[in-house]
Amino acid sequence: MLRAPRCLLWTSVAPAAALAAALLSSFARCSLLEPRDPVASSLSPYFGTKTRYEDVSPGLLAGTEAPWRDPELLEGTCTPVQLVALIRHGTRYPTAKQIRKLRQLHGLLQARGSRDGGASSTGSRDLGAALADWPLWYADWMDGQLVEKGRQDMRQLALRLASLFPTLFSLENYGRLRLITSSKHRCVDSGAAFLQGLWQHYHPGLPPPDIADMECGPPRVNDKLMRFFDHCEKFLTEVERNATALYHVEAFKTGPEMQNILKKVAATLQVPVNDLNADLIQVAFFTCSFDLAIKGVKSPWCDVFDIDDAKKKGEVLEYLNDLKQYWKRGYGYTINSRSSCTLFQDIFQHLDKAVEQKQRNYSLEFCICYSFGSLNLL
């Protein structure tokens, strides 16, 4: 689940810079559109990387396989010869860690309900009781795996790209597609679903064969390229294994903004504020997004935040998530972005090679897709 389509596209022929800028510009504008889906929660703009694709690209609700084309995207003077895409995995289940935290919060509400019978001071059934009875269908085995909706996301993305660049995604080019993925199961499965979508484009109505039997071959696992941060000793030492690296995140969790949210949620759920913490509040917030993305339902978990000051609560929780990503994956530490140099060097080497081979009339890989789970961007 993403705030915006995480596919960055380049073509390797002039005016490549203008085309890349147009693509990025079109994606940026798309991310500012308001959700039109009546099921969408008022919290949807604050889910960050847990946001449904269709909430930031409402055009997907009208046609999931038809691309939205910027009128200035492809001028007649520009002929794309290669496409490079960085593709985030599709919609997934919560991780086992998130599920354990949700189970902890759910157990807290059930224990509270058994003490007072789930009635509020006015005798009416309250939100805490409703959440205690709400089916907790997430299980540890799910652990961030791709859901069927996520496979559908990837198949439809492949169809949109093939429609947007028909000359590149021709049947004769199919064998020259290269798809690289990390070893994370949700990324491998996303890559496989993407290839199934292309098969559907080339052979409508026919069931796809096993991925290993496709002409382009299965996605190639390369963790040194796609999970470079796991192979960068300086990043591991200075950030990943550094107990103080996320000091600012922990400080915000106990700061006045978050404490105000804790008090309001405790009052809403009618539980002692000392039984709650920022992590439990955040997992409730994300559960709203997961139920919305995976099942298309607005669960009572959304009401924890929708009842009062939804915008303010959403902004605080979104900021908490952004703060963590800033210090762990973003510009907080210099090594965060520098660790991605290996991947970006690989990307630009392919672009340079494409220009050279085009000039010599050599055949080349027409599409290189990198499927990733989390990324430290330059």
Side-chain angles (χ1 to χ4, degrees):
M1 293 165 283
L2 305 176
R3 169 159 310 259
R6 298 297 171 91
C7 185
L8 307 183
L9 308 176
W10 292 267
T11 56
S12 52
V13 66
L19 178 58
L23 283 159
L24 291 171
S25 175
S26 68
F27 288 153
R29 284 196 296 274
C30 195
S31 68
L32 297 176
L33 296 175
E34 292 295 326
R36 300 172 190 166
D37 183 1
V39 179
S41 166
S42 60
L43 297 168
S44 294
Y46 309 107
F47 287 146
T49 59
K50 306 298 186 296
T51 305
R52 298 187 301 174
Y53 287 108
E54 50 267 41
D55 283 339
V56 289
S57 298
L60 296 180
L61 295 171
T64 55
E65 298 173 6
W68 179 84
R69 182 188 294 270
D70 189 314
E72 301 177 357
L73 179 62
L74 294 177
E75 297 290 342
T77 57
C78 178
T79 303
V81 297
Q82 186 180 76
L83 181 147
V84 177
L86 278 174
I87 302 175
R88 174 85 164 173
H89 60 70
T91 304
R92 63 167 177 85
Y93 288 116
T95 63
K97 184 177 180 180
Q98 291 169 325
I99 292 170
R100 286 192 293 270
K101 290 179 180 178
L102 178 60
R103 193 176 293 130
Q104 178 185 347
L105 178 58
H106 194 244
L108 175 67
L109 295 174
Q110 288 181 319
R112 171 258 181 194
S114 65
R115 290 193 301 269
D116 58 20
S120 67
S121 58
T122 61
S124 61
R125 188 165 174 78
D126 60 48
L127 179 58
L131 285 170
D133 292 340
W134 183 258
L136 189 60
W137 61 279
Y138 298 109
D140 288 342
W141 65 264
M142 296 175 177
D143 194 20
Q145 292 190 49
L146 201 68
V147 302
E148 179 53 38
K149 173 67 164 57
R151 293 182 174 85
Q152 181 181 330
D153 292 336
M154 293 296 104
R155 290 192 292 265
Q156 292 171 347
L157 175 60
L159 290 171
R160 291 196 298 274
L161 284 177
S163 298
L164 192 59
F165 299 97
T167 57
L168 286 180
F169 285 89
S170 61
L171 183 58
E172 55 268 25
N173 279 345
Y174 187 37
R176 294 192 286 117
L177 180 144
R178 180 185 178 205
L179 199 153
I180 305 168
T181 178
S182 77
S183 59
K184 283 287 186 180
H185 44 65
R186 52 184 170 269
C187 297
V188 174
D189 293 344
S190 290
F194 185 89
L195 294 179
Q196 291 170 346
L198 285 183
W199 174 271
Q200 182 181 343
H201 171 73
Y202 296 128
H203 308 283
L206 295 179
D210 187 272
I211 296 297
D213 296 329
M214 290 186 177
E215 186 178 353
C216 61
R220 307 173 194 176
V221 174
N222 188 336
D223 277 342
K224 286 189 176 181
L225 202 61
M226 301 311 303
R227 293 188 64 81
F228 43 79
F229 41 85
D230 283 345
H231 297 268
C232 176
E233 190 58 39
K234 187 173 183 179
F235 171 78
L236 294 174
T237 301
E238 295 184 2
V239 182
E240 188 69 29
R241 299 169 186 159
N242 182 357
T244 64
L246 300 183
Y247 163 79
H248 296 279
V249 179
E250 297 307 315
F252 186 74
K253 287 181 179 180
T254 58
E257 297 86 359
M258 184 56 67
Q259 291 306 304
N260 186 45
I261 300 297
L262 284 174
K263 291 175 183 177
K264 289 187 176 182
V265 171
T268 298
L269 299 179
Q270 298 184 26
V271 297
V273 67
N274 291 337
D275 288 347
L276 299 177
N277 57 49
D279 290 341
L280 293 181
I281 298 299
Q282 190 174 46
V283 79
F285 184 64
F286 284 151
T287 300
C288 169
S289 73
F290 279 118
D291 284 349
L292 190 63
I294 297 173
K295 287 195 167 186
V297 298
K298 181 177 178 290
S299 74
W301 292 104
C302 302
D303 293 333
V304 174
F305 309 96
D306 282 348
I307 285 178
D308 176 47
D309 294 335
K311 184 175 184 293
K312 183 176 291 185
K313 291 176 181 175
E315 287 175 344
V316 170
L317 289 164
E318 181 186 31
Y319 182 78
L320 173 61
N321 187 52
D322 288 347
L323 192 63
K324 178 182 177 181
Q325 299 309 320
Y326 175 81
W327 288 105
K328 190 171 183 179
R329 301 292 187 200
Y331 296 105
Y333 298 102
T334 303
I335 190 59
N336 291 358
S337 57
R338 287 186 177 177
S339 64
S340 66
C341 288
T342 301
L343 173 59
F344 280 88
Q345 182 182 39
D346 189 80
I347 290 174
F348 286 106
Q349 283 176 346
H350 278 100
L351 294 177
D352 290 340
K353 185 178 180 181
V355 173
E356 178 184 349
Q357 291 186 335
K358 178 65 176 178
Q359 292 171 343
R360 297 183 180 183
N361 292 321
Y362 289 165
S363 63
L364 66 155
E365 294 164 321
F366 83 94
C367 179
I368 301 98
C369 296
Y370 302 86
S371 177
F372 66 90
S374 57
L375 194 62
N376 304 2
L377 292 175
L378 284 168

